[in-house]
């Protein structure tokens, strides 16, 4: 079964350093999402792409976070500078608009970030 | 504003016992409804989903969920829990059909041997 690939799985970084996460969605999925999940909470959407275009980044802290999906396939989420409060799991997900999709979003394994 | 409530933060059951995890949502119409499971340190795996039709839906791993419009609920059930079911369970709704998921805060399930 096709999966959403993410790397790295775990990252420890010092406060004020830069960190980046990579995501490769399920092949053929036009929509890609980045979610943030703080320990003990449900995931919250940071940014949503349709192909290479951002369709929703209303919850993305744009002073330090950036996301891109240059060729409409894989995507990178960057944090610079990292702050202690950024410690969380960053989940990438993808979906397709096909009738068989049933509005379903498929998630990757996530990237754990610890800022020290 | 739309919201999803999972009133039980933690649930402990004995292996072989039945399970019901509660989920309530606030939204005027019937949203798309989902249950996901998350094992420690892992991503979210879809258990089942509901859009329309039969209000009792079957999912993977022996789980089922029932949509009750009158109660705005979508509770997850399993007749006999296995130790491997220990995980965190998230209910999610998509109120607009645009993949804008709203997640509940999750219910952590512990299974006693």
């Amino acid at each position: 079964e096709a999966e959403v690939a993410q790397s790295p799985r775990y990252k420890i970084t010092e406060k004020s350093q830069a960190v980046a996460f990579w995501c490769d969605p399920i092949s053929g999925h036009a929509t890609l999402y980045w979610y943030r999940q703080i320990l003990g909470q449900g995931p919250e959407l940071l940014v949503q792409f349709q192909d290479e275009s951002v369709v929703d980044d209303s919850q993305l802290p744009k002073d330090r976070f950036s996301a891109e999906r240059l060729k409409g396939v894989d995507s990178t989420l960057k944090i610079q500078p990292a702050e202690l409060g950024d410690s969380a799991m960053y989940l990438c997900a993808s979906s397709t608009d096909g009738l068989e999709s049933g509005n379903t979003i498929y998630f990757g394994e996530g990237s754990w970030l610890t800022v020290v | 504003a739309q919201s999803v409530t999972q009133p039980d933060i933690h649930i402990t059951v004995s292996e072989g016992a039945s399970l019901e995890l509660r989920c309530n949502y606030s939204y005027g119409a019937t949203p798309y409804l989902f249950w996901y499971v998350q094992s420690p340190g892992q991503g979210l795996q879809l258990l089942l989903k509901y859009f329309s039709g039969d209000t009792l839906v079957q999912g993977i791993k022996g789980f089922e969920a029932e949509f009750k419009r009158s109660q705005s609920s979508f509770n997850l059930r399993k007749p006999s829990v296995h130790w491997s079911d220990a995980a965190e369970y998230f209910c999610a709704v998509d109120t607009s059909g645009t993949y804008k998921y709203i997640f509940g805060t999750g219910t952590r399930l512990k299974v006693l041997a």
Side-chain angles (χ1 to χ4, degrees):
Chain A
E1 183 178 305
E3 295 182 347
V4 176
Q6 289 189 246
S7 66
R9 289 293 320 279
Y10 305 94
K11 180 71 176 180
I12 300 175
T13 191
E14 293 184 345
K15 186 175 61 173
S16 79
Q17 295 299 303
V19 62
F21 302 106
W22 175 82
C23 172
D24 191 14
I26 294 173
S27 178
H29 281 198
T31 308
L32 183 146
Y33 314 78
W34 284 101
Y35 282 80
R36 177 169 60 185
Q37 185 180 16
I38 296 170
L39 196 63
Q41 300 182 18
E44 294 182 318
L45 181 68
L46 290 175
V47 61
Q48 178 181 350
F49 290 91
Q50 181 70 29
D51 298 311
E52 66 275 8
S53 301
V54 173
V55 297
D56 186 350
D57 62 357
S58 57
Q59 300 304 309
L60 188 71
K62 298 181 188 62
D63 56 335
R64 297 183 300 105
F65 285 66
S66 64
E68 60 183 17
R69 194 184 184 198
L70 295 177
K71 297 183 179 179
V73 181
D74 58 338
S75 174
T76 301
L77 176 71
K78 297 179 181 177
I79 308 173
Q80 183 174 16
E83 296 181 353
L84 296 177
D86 297 331
S87 295
M89 175 181 270
Y90 291 85
L91 290 158
C92 182
S94 68
S95 67
T96 179
D97 290 335
L99 288 176
E100 71 285 358
S101 73
N103 276 60
T104 302
I105 296 177
Y106 297 90
F107 287 84
E109 294 286 291
S111 293
W112 273 109
L113 173 65
T114 300
V115 182
V116 297
Chain B
Q2 294 89 15
S3 66
V4 179
T5 302
Q6 293 182 247
D8 304 305
I9 298 174
H10 298 279
I11 283 186
T12 300
V13 299
S14 297
E15 191 170 19
S18 63
L19 172 70
E20 182 170 31
L21 303 182
R22 295 182 290 166
C23 174
N24 293 92
Y25 63 90
S26 65
Y27 181 59
T30 299
Y32 297 87
L33 296 158
F34 306 84
W35 274 100
Y36 284 84
V37 60
Q38 185 176 38
S39 297
Q42 303 297 311
L44 280 72
Q45 181 183 21
L46 179 69
L47 285 176
L48 45 77
K49 57 189 177 184
Y50 172 80
F51 313 130
S52 63
D54 191 347
T55 57
L56 183 64
V57 293
Q58 302 297 319
I60 63 171
K61 304 185 179 187
F63 285 92
E64 66 179 26
E66 185 172 14
F67 168 62
K68 293 187 177 180
R69 186 191 308 275
S70 61
Q71 298 177 19
S72 296
S73 69
F74 188 56
N75 294 348
L76 182 72
R77 301 194 295 245
K78 187 170 185 177
S80 178
V81 170
H82 188 263
W83 64 266
S84 60
D85 293 323
E88 188 146 25
Y89 293 79
F90 290 94
C91 179
V93 303
D94 175 0
T95 60
S96 59
T98 58
Y99 299 80
K100 304 289 186 186
Y101 280 23
I102 301 171
F103 282 88
T105 52
T107 297
R108 184 171 297 277
L109 174 66
K110 182 177 180 180
V111 180
L112 301 177

